[in-house]
Amino acid sequence: VLAALPRPEPDAVAYHFQQADDDRATAWLIRSGERAERAYAYLTAAERFAAALHLLEATGDSAGDTPWLLLRLAWLERYAEPRRGLGYIDRAVEILAARGQIGLAGGSSRIRWRMPWPSSMPPMDGWTPPGRPSPRAARQCSAWAIPGRRPS
Protein backbone atom coordinates (compact mmCIF):
# COMPACT_ATOMS: atom_id res chain seq x y z
CA VAL A 1 0.00 0.00 0.00
CA LEU A 2 2.78 2.46 0.92
CA ALA A 3 4.66 1.83 -2.32
CA ALA A 4 1.55 2.71 -4.34
CA LEU A 5 1.26 6.23 -2.89
CA PRO A 6 2.04 9.14 -5.25
CA ARG A 7 5.22 10.07 -3.34
CA PRO A 8 6.08 7.15 -1.07
CA GLU A 9 8.56 7.46 1.78
CA PRO A 10 11.47 5.20 0.71
CA ASP A 11 12.61 4.45 4.27
CA ALA A 12 9.15 3.32 5.37
CA VAL A 13 8.56 1.24 2.25
CA ALA A 14 12.00 -0.39 2.53
CA TYR A 15 11.42 -1.16 6.21
CA HIS A 16 8.10 -2.87 5.57
CA PHE A 17 9.45 -4.87 2.63
CA GLN A 18 12.41 -5.95 4.77
CA GLN A 19 10.09 -7.08 7.55
CA ALA A 20 8.07 -9.10 5.03
CA ASP A 21 11.22 -10.62 3.44
CA ASP A 22 10.08 -9.16 0.13
CA ASP A 23 12.67 -8.93 -2.67
CA ARG A 24 11.51 -5.38 -3.43
CA ALA A 25 13.25 -4.21 -0.24
CA THR A 26 16.57 -3.99 -2.10
CA ALA A 27 15.31 -1.47 -4.65
CA TRP A 28 13.64 0.60 -1.94
CA LEU A 29 16.79 0.59 0.21
CA ILE A 30 18.72 1.89 -2.81
CA ARG A 31 16.09 4.62 -3.33
CA SER A 32 16.32 5.48 0.35
CA GLY A 33 20.12 5.66 0.15
CA GLU A 34 19.97 7.89 -2.91
CA ARG A 35 17.58 10.23 -1.12
CA ALA A 36 19.83 10.36 1.93
CA GLU A 37 22.82 11.07 -0.30
CA ARG A 38 20.99 13.97 -1.98
CA ALA A 39 20.34 15.37 1.51
CA TYR A 40 24.08 15.04 2.35
CA ALA A 41 23.27 12.41 5.00
CA TYR A 42 26.20 10.28 3.86
CA LEU A 43 26.33 7.95 6.84
CA THR A 44 22.61 7.19 6.49
CA ALA A 45 23.07 6.67 2.76
CA ALA A 46 25.94 4.26 3.45
CA GLU A 47 23.77 2.33 5.93
CA ARG A 48 20.98 1.97 3.35
CA PHE A 49 23.35 0.89 0.59
CA ALA A 50 25.07 -1.59 2.93
CA ALA A 51 21.67 -3.09 3.83
CA ALA A 52 20.81 -3.35 0.12
CA LEU A 53 24.18 -4.98 -0.55
CA HIS A 54 23.54 -7.52 2.22
CA LEU A 55 20.19 -8.41 0.65
CA LEU A 56 21.74 -8.68 -2.82
CA GLU A 57 24.41 -11.03 -1.54
CA ALA A 58 21.83 -13.12 0.32
CA THR A 59 19.39 -13.45 -2.58
CA GLY A 60 21.75 -13.35 -5.54
CA ASP A 61 22.45 -10.35 -7.72
CA SER A 62 20.69 -11.08 -10.98
CA ALA A 63 20.87 -7.45 -12.18
CA GLY A 64 24.60 -7.05 -11.51
CA ASP A 65 24.22 -4.19 -9.01
CA THR A 66 26.78 -5.43 -6.47
CA PRO A 67 29.88 -3.71 -7.94
CA TRP A 68 27.96 -0.45 -8.35
CA LEU A 69 26.84 -0.57 -4.71
CA LEU A 70 30.35 -1.43 -3.52
CA LEU A 71 31.84 1.55 -5.36
CA ARG A 72 29.08 3.82 -4.07
CA LEU A 73 29.81 2.64 -0.52
CA ALA A 74 33.52 3.28 -1.03
CA TRP A 75 32.71 6.83 -2.13
CA LEU A 76 30.47 7.46 0.88
CA GLU A 77 32.84 5.95 3.42
CA ARG A 78 36.09 7.43 2.11
CA TYR A 79 36.29 9.88 5.02
CA ALA A 80 34.54 8.07 7.88
CA GLU A 81 35.96 4.57 7.23
CA PRO A 82 38.66 4.78 4.53
CA ARG A 83 39.99 1.26 5.17
CA ARG A 84 36.51 -0.17 4.63
CA GLY A 85 36.17 1.99 1.51
CA LEU A 86 39.35 0.48 0.06
CA GLY A 87 37.97 -2.98 0.79
CA TYR A 88 34.78 -2.15 -1.09
CA ILE A 89 36.82 -1.05 -4.10
CA ASP A 90 38.84 -4.27 -4.07
CA ARG A 91 35.67 -6.40 -3.89
CA ALA A 92 34.05 -4.47 -6.75
CA VAL A 93 37.14 -4.89 -8.94
CA GLU A 94 37.29 -8.63 -8.21
CA ILE A 95 33.64 -9.05 -9.27
CA LEU A 96 34.10 -6.94 -12.40
CA ALA A 97 37.28 -8.81 -13.31
CA ALA A 98 35.52 -12.17 -12.90
CA ARG A 99 32.85 -10.90 -15.30
CA GLY A 100 35.50 -9.71 -17.76
CA GLN A 101 34.36 -6.10 -17.42
CA ILE A 102 37.63 -4.72 -16.04
CA GLY A 103 41.21 -5.91 -15.90
CA LEU A 104 42.14 -7.09 -12.42
CA ALA A 105 45.74 -5.95 -12.78
CA GLY A 106 45.73 -2.28 -11.92
CA GLY A 107 41.93 -1.97 -11.80
CA SER A 108 41.83 -1.41 -8.07
CA SER A 109 44.74 1.03 -8.16
CA ARG A 110 43.15 3.10 -10.92
CA ILE A 111 39.87 3.39 -9.03
CA ARG A 112 41.65 4.12 -5.75
CA TRP A 113 43.63 6.96 -7.32
CA ARG A 114 40.61 8.56 -8.96
CA MET A 115 38.62 8.71 -5.75
CA PRO A 116 39.14 11.79 -3.53
CA TRP A 117 40.57 10.74 -0.18
CA PRO A 118 41.18 12.91 2.88
CA SER A 119 44.62 14.54 2.78
CA SER A 120 45.30 13.32 6.34
CA MET A 121 44.69 9.65 5.47
CA PRO A 122 47.73 7.53 6.39
CA PRO A 123 49.18 4.84 4.08
CA MET A 124 47.52 1.46 4.61
CA ASP A 125 47.81 -2.00 3.17
CA GLY A 126 50.82 -1.02 1.07
CA TRP A 127 48.91 1.82 -0.60
CA THR A 128 49.52 5.52 -0.17
CA PRO A 129 46.66 7.89 -0.96
CA PRO A 130 47.27 10.66 -3.47
CA GLY A 131 49.03 13.71 -2.06
CA ARG A 132 48.02 17.31 -2.14
CA PRO A 133 48.21 19.16 -5.45
CA SER A 134 51.46 20.86 -6.39
CA PRO A 135 51.73 24.57 -5.54
CA ARG A 136 51.38 25.42 -9.25
CA ALA A 137 48.20 23.33 -9.60
CA ALA A 138 46.79 24.92 -6.43
CA ARG A 139 47.50 28.41 -7.84
CA GLN A 140 45.80 27.51 -11.11
CA CYS A 141 42.72 26.16 -9.35
CA SER A 142 42.42 29.24 -7.14
CA ALA A 143 42.99 31.55 -10.12
CA TRP A 144 40.09 29.96 -11.98
CA ALA A 145 37.90 30.49 -8.93
CA ILE A 146 38.39 34.28 -9.13
CA PRO A 147 36.06 35.76 -11.78
CA GLY A 148 37.91 37.43 -14.63
CA ARG A 149 41.28 35.99 -13.66
CA ARG A 150 43.05 33.34 -15.70
CA PRO A 151 45.78 31.04 -14.37
CA SER A 152 49.37 31.93 -15.25
Side-chain angles (χ1 to χ4, degrees), residues 7 28 32 44 46 62 76 81 83 108 131 133 138 140 149 152:
R7 292 187 332 163
W28 282 96
S32 176
T44 301
S62 59
L76 290 168
E81 294 288 339
R83 185 177 304 275
S108 180
Q140 287 179 336
R149 185 166 171 213
S152 55

Side-chain angles (χ1 to χ4, degrees), residues 93-104:
V93 168
E94 287 174 12
I95 293 168
L96 292 170
R99 294 179 184 169
Q101 295 175 318
I102 189 173
L104 185 57

Side-chain angles (χ1 to χ4, degrees), residues 6-50:
R7 292 187 332 163
E9 176 71 30
D11 285 320
V13 176
Y15 171 79
H16 287 286
F17 282 145
Q18 279 181 292
Q19 295 302 308
D21 285 328
D22 191 310
D23 290 340
R24 294 176 287 179
T26 304
W28 282 96
L29 282 165
I30 291 170
R31 286 178 70 175
S32 176
E34 289 169 344
R35 190 179 95 176
E37 191 173 12
R38 284 191 306 273
Y40 302 102
Y42 297 134
L43 295 178
T44 301
E47 288 173 7
R48 301 304 183 267
F49 290 141

Side-chain angles (χ1 to χ4, degrees), residues 103-126:
L104 185 57
S108 180
S109 295
R110 282 194 307 270
I111 294 171
R112 285 177 174 204
W113 277 97
R114 288 191 172 129
M115 191 160 302
W117 297 97
S119 59
S120 62
M121 190 172 114
M124 58 181 78
D125 302 331

Side-chain angles (χ1 to χ4, degrees), residues 50-74:
L53 180 65
H54 177 73
L55 289 176
L56 278 177
E57 290 173 342
T59 60
D61 180 13
S62 59
D65 288 332
T66 299
W68 171 82
L69 273 175
L70 288 166
L71 292 174
R72 197 114 181 227
L73 277 165

